[in-house]
Amino acid sequence: MTPINWITSYADGLEKAKAEDKLVFADFFNPG
Amino acid sequence: MDAVAYIDPAVISFVNNTLVPLRLPASDKVLGSRYKIKWTPSLLILDAEGTEHYRTLGFYPPQQLIPSLLLGIGKAKFNLPDRKAAGEVFARLIDAYPHDNLAPEAVYLLGVSRFIETHEVAHLIALYDRLAAEYPDSPWVTRATPYSLLKK
């Protein structure tokens, strides 16, 4: 199963959201 | 989230197809401060400008994460504002997850979205009637109670 295609760059995430007319699901996590 | 929700096939499919998944460490000095992240996991729905429209905290099982994200998507559409799209998302949440604890809020927001779009008070009355009938113990019934007075 393909995992979630996480983007780890904020700028890249917003750019992709603009290009694909999507909203962003931002998960602020604790990397531990 | 990694051990349970993010490995669930339905969650993976929903997130990859519906949203742009962005994962950031809460310790990020700039973004952690900008979004006032005080706890993890903090799950946010942002528009393409980075404006926050929805936030929730804590760990979700898969069957509760998708309705939470749908509520966030609906709220973002509502705010942008695209009330027609918002209504479609709220309706999807209600239809697919009628027993989720977020469904009553979606019923409320669906009715409000339709009212704003059409200016027909029947949508406000209908949202109260539906909440009273299907979710009588929800606090959203109380929030909708004034609309019951619109009945002629």
Side-chain angles (χ1 to χ4, degrees), chain A residues 1-10 13-18 20-31, chain B residues 6 12 16-17 19-26 31 34-35 37 40-46 48-50 69 76:
Chain A
M1 182 75 189
T2 305
I4 292 177
N5 300 321
W6 294 110
I7 292 173
T8 57
S9 159
Y10 180 74
L14 296 190
E15 186 176 337
K16 184 175 173 68
K18 283 178 189 170
E20 298 183 4
D21 192 24
K22 287 183 176 178
L23 295 164
V24 174
F25 168 38
D27 175 0
F28 283 88
F29 75 113
N30 182 354
Chain B
Y6 291 159
I12 293 169
N16 282 342
N17 292 323
L19 296 158
V20 174
L22 175 65
R23 204 152 203 221
L24 301 164
L31 296 171
R34 179 182 303 174
Y35 290 104
I37 303 300
T40 60
S42 285
L43 309 176
L44 281 60
I45 296 293
L46 314 175
E49 303 301 324
L69 294 174

Side-chain angles (χ1 to χ4, degrees), chain B residues 134-147:
Chain B
E134 298 179 24
Y135 305 99
D137 298 325
S138 169
W140 287 96
V141 177
T142 306
R143 299 190 193 189
T145 296
Y147 308 144

Side-chain angles (χ1 to χ4, degrees), chain B residues 59-125:
Chain B
F59 293 93
Y60 275 79
Q63 65 272 25
Q64 292 179 10
L65 180 59
I66 295 175
S68 179
L69 294 174
L70 282 170
L71 186 67
I73 294 167
K75 287 185 172 184
K77 299 288 186 185
F78 184 90
N79 292 340
L80 283 172
D82 184 347
R83 273 57 184 258
K84 184 174 186 297
E88 291 169 357
V89 176
F90 295 135
R92 179 179 173 188
L93 192 167
I94 299 159
D95 290 344
Y97 304 93
H99 304 298
D100 190 89
N101 63 5
L102 298 177
E105 185 174 357
V107 170
Y108 183 97
L109 291 170
L110 172 59
V112 170
S113 298
R114 287 176 172 167
F115 170 72
I116 292 173
E117 207 180 7
T118 65
H119 304 291
E120 294 177 7
V121 295
H123 291 301
L124 298 178
I125 297 168

